[in-house]
Amino acid sequence: MLKNLWYVAEWSDTVKDKPVKTKLLGQNLVLFRDLEGKVKCLADVCLHRGGSLSGGWVNEKRDCVVCPYHGWQYNGGGKCQKIPSEGDSFQVPKRFKVDAYDVEERYGMIWVFMGDLPAEERFPIPPLPEYGDEANWRGLKTEFTWKAEASRVVENGIDIAHASFVHPVFGYPSTAEDNYIEEVEKHEWWGRSTNVMYPPQLKGGFLGWRNFLRKDKQETKVHPEWHLPGMIVRIKIDIRPGWHIVMFDANTPVDEHTTRTFAWQFRSFFKVKMFDKGSLQRLKTILLEDATIVQDSQPYYLPETLANEVSVKSDKFMSTFRMARRKLIEEKGWQIDTKARDEHKGKKVLTISSPGRRQAMIDGDGWVFDEMPTVPPIKSSTLKNEFERQVDVLTTESVNSKESIIA
Ligand code: FES
Ligand SMILES: [Fe+2]
């Protein structure tokens, strides 16, 4: 699990007038909406005796969340504003603060920046231009919880080769060899590829209308993308000219064993409600088909090197995701150290550093809760070089080559 990235914590319409409990990167959080309608996000733990703020309420002025234990009030910046037992004249010390994380609402989702990087150094929230473009797209949303680690889920989402075996609606085992990656584009925090596939004819619908969407084994272009912010998988499928489906899945690491996918699906055809039910059903079926495979894959976490697996040319796009993720672990040191964290389990509150904590450290004010440990960056980069070398072999190999690359 990586800190210093934006993640989707909730759907916007879930947070109304009551505090909402959620969890990201193994840390409990409380979300609440203030008087101006802005969502605030704090560590869900009171400085006093550890009460869960999400079990409380929003105060009358709607600028604070109130701890249900002894009524301490915290504003959206995490600062304790009121301690009822001390009376109104009590000056709350500057140090009485919990971590508050930056929030943005986009695409009907609440995005939380889980870290302390200054705004200008953050990777951006990935674009979703289809959202709100009702003239051209019909959007549907759903969610799904996996008993799997988020990186495994992302890798599955951008893996085109599995469609021939896992998703009958989108592939035949017999066309596995015909599908190919046409192009791979890789950047620091995102990547995109173009794939050519030969999926089966679509079936069903009222009077079999879906049969007309696509001929059997018709050449179809599929464009998967990964984005490290939000652990997003975005897939655009060009069914036929002017007819597209876009999937946008935010794969939120709730903890290292649980991934909550907030999924949008847009279609550029049949943009009326009566087609929603079937679309939603098919989307859910696809997620279930994937979960059956991903939840049973080993090792549980995404392998940290390519050494104990073999890769072939159809894996090269996935490898760009692995490499970008490794860079954040090895060069930036953003990986949560779950082993070090677990030594304190049940004994001490650890929170991911927020901008307020970072400033307090600069100002020498100190912070009540200890910081969530992270895996230190690797200074001598032997492992990194080897990993990059292996990925480079995969990503630079001629796309038309039929030879497998053993990495
Ligand atoms: S534990 Fe929150 S007010 Fe005492
Ligand atoms: Fe899949």
Side-chain angles (χ1 to χ4, degrees):
M1 296 186 293
L2 297 164
K3 67 170 189 176
N4 280 327
L5 292 172
W6 289 101
Y7 292 107
V8 174
E10 260 305 342
W11 295 109
S12 280
D13 54 13
T14 308
V15 183
K16 297 191 175 98
D17 54 350
K18 290 192 175 67
V20 170
K21 189 184 188 83
T22 190
K23 195 178 186 188
L24 289 181
L25 309 182
Q27 182 183 323
N28 289 330
L29 299 168
V30 55
L31 302 168
F32 71 98
R33 215 174 263 285
D34 71 8
L35 190 62
E36 288 162 14
K38 290 233 161 34
V39 176
K40 304 292 174 183
C41 176
L42 312 183
D44 185 28
V45 57
C46 181
L47 295 167
H48 178 220
R49 290 295 177 266
S52 166
L53 303 177
S54 58
W57 57 92
V58 181
N59 67 346
E60 263 180 33
K61 275 164 63 190
R62 298 204 64 81
D63 61 355
C64 285
V65 62
V66 185
C67 178
Y69 207 168
H70 313 90
W72 290 26
Q73 300 193 2
Y74 295 87
N75 70 14
K79 173 82 179 62
C80 180
Q81 297 289 81
K82 186 173 174 178
I83 300 180
S85 62
E86 303 300 301
D88 282 344
S89 58
F90 181 69
Q91 282 288 318
V92 181
K94 206 175 163 194
R95 193 165 157 268
F96 283 25
K97 279 184 113 180
V98 294
D99 290 273
Y101 302 96
D102 287 343
V103 176
E104 291 263 348
E105 276 190 86
R106 268 202 231 161
Y107 324 138
M109 298 158 150
I110 295 168
W111 295 74
V112 175
F113 187 79
M114 287 304 290
D116 60 5
L117 278 192
E120 62 279 9
E121 290 176 29
R122 298 173 187 173
F123 301 146
I125 292 174
L128 181 56
E130 296 79 9
Y131 179 82
D133 180 3
E134 279 155 29
N136 295 304
W137 297 94
R138 173 83 186 171
L140 284 171
K141 64 179 191 183
T142 189
E143 73 173 80
F144 186 81
T145 301
W146 312 63
K147 283 281 149 216
E149 197 241 349
S151 310
R152 279 271 190 213
V153 175
V154 171
E155 194 171 85
N156 165 263
I158 58 172
D159 168 14
I160 292 302
H162 82 281
S164 298
F165 295 89
V166 178
H167 304 304
V169 71
F170 215 71
Y172 289 116
S174 63
T175 56
E177 197 194 342
D178 304 328
N179 299 336
Y180 63 96
I181 301 177
E182 195 175 62
E183 215 181 310
V184 168
E185 199 186 322
K186 52 179 172 156
H187 304 272
E188 190 181 4
W189 67 86
W190 69 282
R192 176 192 290 145
S193 87
T194 298
N195 301 260
V196 177
M197 303 184 72
Y198 301 89
Q201 184 176 30
L202 295 171
K203 302 260 162 50
F206 182 63
L207 298 177
W209 65 268
R210 297 185 78 243
N211 301 18
F212 300 101
L213 286 181
R214 184 171 66 203
K215 285 199 245 94
D216 193 38
K217 298 182 189 168
Q218 179 180 307
E219 184 177 294
T220 302
K221 292 229 173 164
V222 181
H223 314 266
E225 291 177 21
W226 55 262
H227 297 256
L228 288 167
M231 296 298 267
I232 300 295
V233 171
R234 180 189 158 93
I235 303 175
K236 180 162 172 271
I237 304 169
D238 301 334
I239 293 180
R240 54 194 247 188
W243 293 39
H244 310 279
I245 287 179
V246 169
M247 286 180 277
F248 183 92
D249 292 356
N251 299 296
T252 296
V254 172
D255 56 32
E256 63 272 40
H257 309 293
T258 317
T259 300
R260 193 171 160 201
T261 296
F262 297 84
W264 271 114
Q265 191 199 70
F266 294 90
R267 59 179 192 271
S268 69
F269 50 94
F270 299 134
K271 299 188 288 276
V272 288
K273 200 169 178 228
M274 67 177 281
F275 297 103
D276 288 355
K277 202 173 157 204
S279 293
L280 205 55
Q281 197 50 52
R282 285 186 290 277
L283 182 59
K284 285 182 180 170
T285 303
I286 287 171
L287 286 163
L288 273 171
E289 287 165 351
D290 282 326
T292 308
I293 298 290
V294 172
Q295 292 177 173
D296 278 349
S297 297
Q298 295 186 74
Y300 181 82
Y301 301 111
L302 202 64
E304 298 301 353
T305 77
L306 293 181
N308 299 110
E309 287 182 329
V310 290
S311 299
V312 293
K313 66 182 179 346
S314 61
D315 301 320
K316 68 180 166 188
F317 183 53
M318 279 185 274
S319 303
T320 64
F321 164 69
R322 282 199 187 186
M323 186 169 74
R325 178 180 163 273
R326 290 301 309 162
K327 281 186 177 242
L328 301 194
I329 296 170
E330 293 175 12
E331 292 180 11
K332 307 258 191 198
W334 290 352
Q335 169 102 309
I336 308 279
D337 188 342
T338 48
K339 206 168 149 203
R341 177 203 64 189
D342 286 349
E343 282 170 23
H344 302 285
K345 199 172 177 187
K347 297 179 213 144
K348 196 193 247 188
V349 172
L350 300 168
T351 54
I352 291 166
S353 184
S354 59
R357 176 201 291 260
R358 186 180 179 126
Q359 192 56 48
M361 292 306 168
I362 293 168
D363 298 343
D365 293 340
W367 202 257
V368 176
F369 296 130
D370 283 351
E371 186 175 344
M372 186 77 79
T374 43
V375 178
I378 295 176
K379 291 277 184 287
S380 96
S381 51
T382 334
L383 178 63
K384 183 187 78 190
N385 290 342
E386 176 57 14
F387 190 84
E388 277 187 42
R389 192 193 63 73
Q390 292 170 347
V391 170
D392 279 345
V393 171
L394 283 172
T395 51
T396 54
E397 190 70 9
S398 156
V399 292
N400 296 318
S401 163
K402 289 279 180 196
E403 282 169 41
S404 292
I405 300 141
I406 309 301

